[in-house]
Amino acid sequence: MPPLLTRRTRQRLAADAALLAVALAFAVPLVWLILASVDDGAGLRVRAPEKPTLGNFSAVMNEEITFRPMLNSLLLCGAATALTMVCAALAAYPLSRFRSRFSRPYLLTVLFTTCLPITAVMVPVYGLFVRIDLIDTVYGTALFMATAQLPFAIWLMKNFMDGVPAVLEEAAWTDGASRLQALVRVILPLMGPGVAVVAIYSFIMLWGNFFVPFMLLLSPEQLPASVSIFTFFGNYDQVAYGQLAAFSILYSTPVILLYTLISRRLGGGFALGGAVKG
């Protein structure tokens, strides 16, 4: 066998082994999560349950542990996502449609703000919220979470908006539409898959945010599910891994359902090829 072919074969096998190792690193925790959720004696080891049971789900499916925190998460993350999408669309439009020497530096500055750790600003934010009476309020927490998510949402929205031909917007102006009407009725519908991507990404990032609601929400009845997972450990002398796994599956369900419902549309991409004929 030629040496070159042997070298290529070794490289391919090494790449396959590395990919397999990465896949196992992601798959093993998921397998443990599923198996532990139906095992009364679950521990940290990955093992098949002797007698599968739904007792762990029954133990956590009550108002205090699951239902109220999940509703709080839906309200908090839904409001923050909606606010993020509105502000991102309005901010991305002038960046996409108007050319300026400051556009690129501004976009790089916006992107740089996503690199700042949220812990670096939480102390002054907490002090500000105390002074303006926004501490322990859902709308105040949603406002800050949307603000923290906004920079990357603007960057993504602007890139997707660049893919919409400007001639379609100009045609809407000819028919008497204003810039805002053209944005809402022409541009955003045409970039529907892109809007969906930004919305899903924003919602998932907000859904998994633990630190912000943990700092800004003080009342136990207002805590979202991302924080109630933390308090779940403190309610037992020993960690009930089976119940924790069951709660984690329930906590992941809304995000999985959201992605599943619109995955077909995301796979369709942008169908703008025939929109500029003539």
Side-chain angles (χ1 to χ4, degrees), residues 55-112:
N56 293 323
F57 289 94
S58 300
V60 300
M61 290 186 68
N62 55 65
E63 181 180 0
E64 181 181 357
I65 297 179
T66 300
F67 297 146
R68 186 172 59 196
M70 290 285 283
L71 179 60
N72 292 340
S73 290
L74 289 173
L75 294 175
L76 181 64
C77 299
T81 300
L83 183 59
T84 299
M85 296 301 296
V86 172
C87 295
L90 295 176
Y93 177 76
L95 293 173
S96 175
R97 289 298 185 257
F98 299 106
R99 296 293 178 260
S100 171
R101 71 174 70 178
F102 302 108
S103 295
R104 184 170 178 79
Y106 178 78
L107 282 172
L108 292 176
T109 303
V110 167
L111 188 62
F112 172 76

Side-chain angles (χ1 to χ4, degrees), residues 134-193:
L134 284 181
I135 198 71
D136 199 25
T137 60
V138 175
Y139 60 88
T141 305
L143 177 63
F144 179 71
M145 291 175 68
T147 303
Q149 187 60 37
L150 189 58
F152 200 72
I154 293 175
W155 181 273
L156 283 179
M157 189 76 75
K158 187 263 181 188
N159 289 335
F160 284 121
M161 198 172 291
D162 288 342
V164 179
V167 293
L168 300 177
E169 185 181 0
E170 294 170 358
W173 296 343
T174 304
D175 292 336
S178 63
R179 288 189 178 274
L180 182 59
Q181 289 174 330
L183 172 64
V184 175
R185 298 181 182 180
V186 178
I187 298 177
L188 292 181
L190 288 174
M191 53 179 290

Side-chain angles (χ1 to χ4, degrees), residues 178-237:
S178 63
R179 288 189 178 274
L180 182 59
Q181 289 174 330
L183 172 64
V184 175
R185 298 181 182 180
V186 178
I187 298 177
L188 292 181
L190 288 174
M191 53 179 290
V195 173
V197 168
V198 179
I200 290 176
Y201 177 82
S202 299
F203 185 84
I204 291 176
M205 296 301 294
L206 294 170
W207 186 261
N209 194 314
F210 161 78
F211 192 66
V212 172
F214 177 74
M215 290 292 295
L216 300 181
L217 294 175
L218 308 178
S219 302
E221 63 273 8
Q222 295 190 36
L223 294 179
S226 59
V227 180
S228 67
I229 289 181
F230 170 76
T231 59
F232 189 87
F233 285 91
N235 292 336
Y236 305 93
D237 294 334

